């Protein structure tokens, strides 16, 4: 059975499979464990002594589908438990309890569902046999979806089957598909019924619902809102981007579903409230100095920047001052002073230098790095004179003491011999002894 800590389908409790996407047993925040979870903030409140628990329970199924059921047997249910419920057609289905108690009453009010209209019942809690049968049905969904896609391609239907949802008793499957228009899939249903030997239901969904069922990562780096917590889809228009001064670039404003991002509506109310104090249709103001044109507006600071033609400096004005000047212009009056706002000077922060001299081992490591760097350098850049070679240690010590013989380079013809050797080597590299240099060759090759 599933535990009360998550609703991953029995993954956290014993006898179930690990939750999809992690192995933290319901303690993480990914969609595999906590998809569309609801925090019951009324669970810890003390109820009156004569309180009767609310007998309607919200049950969650695959994807974002949630339905209400009547707990007519007054079973003790906790969030995350798996229960056997009554489906729309024959048989039974298995889902997870998402809300219980008084929070369901608020959810019914939000969904505009009357408690008297809820008639479907909760049969019982799941058993081990129910879980095995439900798991076997879920294992068939991936293969069934791909076989159904192949059948649709063979029939030449312009539709995309995006997901398959098996009923808990493995007697019915719901196929979710997207299409631009209406599709005649009667022949497809006949072939799928013959291939799968189950009852078939086709349900067309939109692009947003498809993204909600499949999930994914948004441009913000987080999981899609529709696949984690968002249950209802509100209309999103390009005016929401205009009010927020966003560029009307469809590639940036579109989400995984190809539609406008739902998050464009999140801060829209704040922008609408801030825009109430911003004067509309004021693109220029007239002064005795000339005509100043609007360049920029900060709706939260309630500042508007104007500039005169041919000048690079922008003059900040408050919205009240802009309204005042605009009213004077309507009366035919041009003010002398524009009344610029003195903005607060931005104090530049000096870079902070951190002292690491007191770190344990820091000085010794620095000295060791310097020593190794000097060793790697060696004697690079120090060329010895021609004819002088390094001496053996014993010979050098003896000569320093005055006991060694003369060096080879001390002979009168030593320098001439060295020059002839170098000349002979250079000629051999050119190809001919003493001949001209071959084209394309350099003396040091």
């Amino acid at each position: 059975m599933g535990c009360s800590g998550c609703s991953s389908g029995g993954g956290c409790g014993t006898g179930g499979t690990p939750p999809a996407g992690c192995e933290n047993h319901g303690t993480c925040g990914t969609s595999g464990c906590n998809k569309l979870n609801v925090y019951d903030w009324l669970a810890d409140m003390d109820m009156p002594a004569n309180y009767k628990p609310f007998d309607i329970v919200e049950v969650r199924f695959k994807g974002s589908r949630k339905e209400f059921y009547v707990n007519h047997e007054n079973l003790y249910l906790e969030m995350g438990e798996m229960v056997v419920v009554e489906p729309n057609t024959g048989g039974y289905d298995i889902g997870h309890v998402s809300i219980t108690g008084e929070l369901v009453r608020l959810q019914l009010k939000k969904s505009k569902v009357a408690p008297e209209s809820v008639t479907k019942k909760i049969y019982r809690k799941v058993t081990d046999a129910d879980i095995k049968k439900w798991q076997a049905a879920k294992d068939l969904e991936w293969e069934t979806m791909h076989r159904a896609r192949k059948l649709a391609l063979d029939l030449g239907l312009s539709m995309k089957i995006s997901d398959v949802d098996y009923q808990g008793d493995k007697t019915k499957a719901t196929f979710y598909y997207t299409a631009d228009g209406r599709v005649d899939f009667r022949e497809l249903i006949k072939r799928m019924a013959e291939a799968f030997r189950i009852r078939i239901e086709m349900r067309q969904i939109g692009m947003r619902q498809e993204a909600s069922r499949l999930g994914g990562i948004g441009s913000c780096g987080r999981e899609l809102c529709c696949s984690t917590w968002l249950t209802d889809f509100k209309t999103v228009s390009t005016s929401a981007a205009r009010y927020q001064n966003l560029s009307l670039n469809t590639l940036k404003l579109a989400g995984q579903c190809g539609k406008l991002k739902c998050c464009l509506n999140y801060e829209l109310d704040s922008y609408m409230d801030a825009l109430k104090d911003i004067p509309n249709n004021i693109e220029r103001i007239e002064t005795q100095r000339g005509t100043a044109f609007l360049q920029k507006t900060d709706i939260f600071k309630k500042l508007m920047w104007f500039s005169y033609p041919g000048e690079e400096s922008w003059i900040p004005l408050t919205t009240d001052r802009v309204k005042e000047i605009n009213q004077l212009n309507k009366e035919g009056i041009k003010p002398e002073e524009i009344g610029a706002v003195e903005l607060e000077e931005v104090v530049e922060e000096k870079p902070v230098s951190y002292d690491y001299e007191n770190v344990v081992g820091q000085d010794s490591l620095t000295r060791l790095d310097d020593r190794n760097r000097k060793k790697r350098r060696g004697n690079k850049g120090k060329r010895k004179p021609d004819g002088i070679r390094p001496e053996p240690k014993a010979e050098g010590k003896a000569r320093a003491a005055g006991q060694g013989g003369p060096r080879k380079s001390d002979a009168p013809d030593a320098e001439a011999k060295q020059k002839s050797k170098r000349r002979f080597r250079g000629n051999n590299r050119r190809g001919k002894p003493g001949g001209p240099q071959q084209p394309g060759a350099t003396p040091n090759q």
Side-chain angles (χ1 to χ4, degrees):
M1 291 186 181
C3 65
S4 60
C6 80
S7 56
S8 60
C12 301
T14 57
T17 58
C22 75
E23 296 180 357
N24 292 330
H25 305 290
T27 59
C28 70
T30 63
S31 62
C33 294
N34 299 318
K35 183 176 181 179
L36 296 176
N37 265 12
V38 178
Y39 176 70
D40 191 358
W41 52 277
L42 296 174
D44 298 332
M45 296 185 65
D46 296 332
M47 298 298 177
N50 56 353
Y51 170 74
K52 182 179 179 181
F54 196 55
D55 59 346
I56 298 179
V57 179
E58 186 185 67
V59 180
R60 182 180 64 83
F61 300 92
K62 181 182 179 181
S64 58
R65 182 167 68 96
K66 291 184 177 182
E67 296 184 15
F68 300 99
Y69 295 88
V70 180
N71 186 11
H72 65 289
E73 295 185 0
N74 294 326
L75 299 174
Y76 178 73
L77 301 175
E78 293 183 353
M79 294 178 62
E81 271 192 298
M82 299 179 67
V83 290
V84 178
V85 299
E86 178 185 357
N88 296 327
T89 57
Y92 65 88
D93 202 356
I94 295 178
H96 300 84
V97 177
S98 57
I99 305 178
T100 59
E102 288 297 317
L103 204 60
V104 182
R105 197 190 302 272
L106 301 177
Q107 194 72 8
L108 286 170
K109 185 178 180 180
K110 177 184 177 182
S111 303
K112 298 180 180 180
V113 177
E116 296 80 12
S117 62
V118 180
T119 57
K120 290 184 289 187
K121 303 177 182 179
I122 294 179
Y123 290 149
R124 64 181 187 277
K125 294 184 179 182
V126 294
T127 60
D128 292 339
D130 295 331
I131 293 178
K132 291 180 180 178
K133 195 170 185 178
W134 174 78
Q135 188 63 43
K138 295 301 176 184
D139 294 339
L140 293 174
E141 291 178 353
W142 184 259
E143 181 183 357
T144 302
M145 181 182 64
H146 285 276
R147 291 178 62 185
R149 286 180 178 178
K150 187 176 184 304
L151 293 175
L153 288 175
D154 295 340
L155 294 175
L157 300 177
S158 58
M159 59 184 297
K160 175 188 175 183
I161 300 176
S162 59
D163 197 11
V164 180
D165 187 7
Y166 264 87
Q167 196 168 279
D169 55 356
K170 206 167 64 173
T171 60
K172 177 187 174 182
T174 303
F175 292 82
Y176 297 90
Y177 71 95
T178 57
D180 295 335
R182 298 186 63 181
V183 181
D184 186 8
F185 46 76
R186 289 176 292 183
E187 183 64 26
L188 178 62
I189 292 178
K190 292 180 182 178
R191 294 195 181 187
M192 287 194 299
E194 294 175 358
F196 306 132
R197 299 293 179 181
I198 54 176
R199 290 182 288 116
I200 306 296
E201 180 183 353
M202 304 294 294
R203 185 171 297 179
Q204 185 175 2
I205 59 177
M207 297 297 182
R208 296 182 187 272
Q209 287 78 9
E210 182 184 16
S212 170
R213 298 189 68 87
L214 300 181
I217 304 297
S219 59
C220 59
R222 298 175 63 90
E223 295 182 66
L224 298 180
C225 299
C226 56
S227 63
T228 51
W229 61 271
L230 191 63
T231 56
D232 53 344
F233 300 98
K234 296 181 179 179
T235 304
V236 185
S237 60
T238 55
S239 60
R242 292 193 185 96
Y243 287 130
Q244 301 177 56
N245 292 328
L246 299 176
S247 62
L248 300 180
N249 188 350
T250 55
L251 296 178
K252 294 183 178 180
L253 297 181
Q256 299 286 352
C257 57
K259 306 293 183 181
L260 293 177
K261 296 179 182 178
C262 298
C263 55
L264 292 176
N265 286 339
Y266 294 168
E267 298 179 355
L268 182 59
D269 294 338
S270 300
Y271 279 86
M272 295 298 292
D273 293 339
L275 285 171
K276 292 179 180 179
D277 299 329
I278 305 299
N280 296 327
N281 302 324
I282 299 180
E283 299 295 335
R284 65 182 69 185
I285 55 176
E286 300 290 341
T287 62
Q288 295 183 6
R289 183 180 174 184
T291 303
F293 294 89
L294 178 65
Q295 300 293 340
K296 177 185 174 183
T297 303
D298 191 334
I299 62 175
F300 293 108
K301 293 182 180 180
K302 299 180 180 180
L303 292 177
M304 301 175 69
W305 278 265
F306 288 83
S307 67
Y308 291 99
E311 296 184 3
E312 297 182 357
S313 60
W314 292 2
I315 304 173
L317 300 176
T318 60
T319 56
D320 296 335
R321 178 58 180 168
V322 173
K323 293 178 182 178
E324 181 182 352
I325 296 177
N326 186 45
Q327 185 63 30
L328 292 175
N329 292 156
K330 290 181 180 180
E331 298 174 358
I333 303 174
K334 296 182 179 181
E336 296 181 3
E337 298 293 336
I338 198 171
V341 179
E342 295 182 1
L343 300 179
E344 298 180 359
E345 296 182 359
V346 180
V347 180
E348 295 183 0
E349 297 182 359
K350 297 182 179 179
V352 182
S353 59
Y354 297 95
D355 188 7
Y356 294 105
E357 294 180 357
N358 296 328
V359 179
V360 178
Q362 182 70 25
D363 295 339
S364 60
L365 290 176
T366 304
R367 289 195 299 269
L368 182 61
D369 292 340
D370 294 341
R371 193 181 302 115
N372 293 336
R373 194 180 298 109
K374 290 180 181 179
K375 286 183 178 180
R376 287 194 298 269
R377 288 179 182 175
N379 293 324
K380 291 183 179 180
K382 296 181 180 180
R383 297 187 62 182
K384 297 183 178 181
D386 295 337
I388 300 178
R389 296 181 179 179
E391 302 176 358
K393 293 183 179 180
E395 184 180 356
K397 290 180 180 179
R399 187 171 290 108
Q403 300 176 1
R407 298 177 181 175
K408 294 181 180 180
S409 60
D410 295 339
D413 58 342
E415 185 176 356
K417 289 182 180 180
Q418 292 294 335
K419 290 183 179 180
S420 62
K421 287 181 181 180
R422 289 197 300 272
R423 188 181 303 108
F424 182 78
R425 291 172 187 169
N427 293 334
N428 285 340
R429 290 172 183 171
R430 295 186 183 95
K432 294 181 181 180
Q437 183 178 350
Q438 297 293 333
T442 57
N444 295 329
Q445 284 184 348

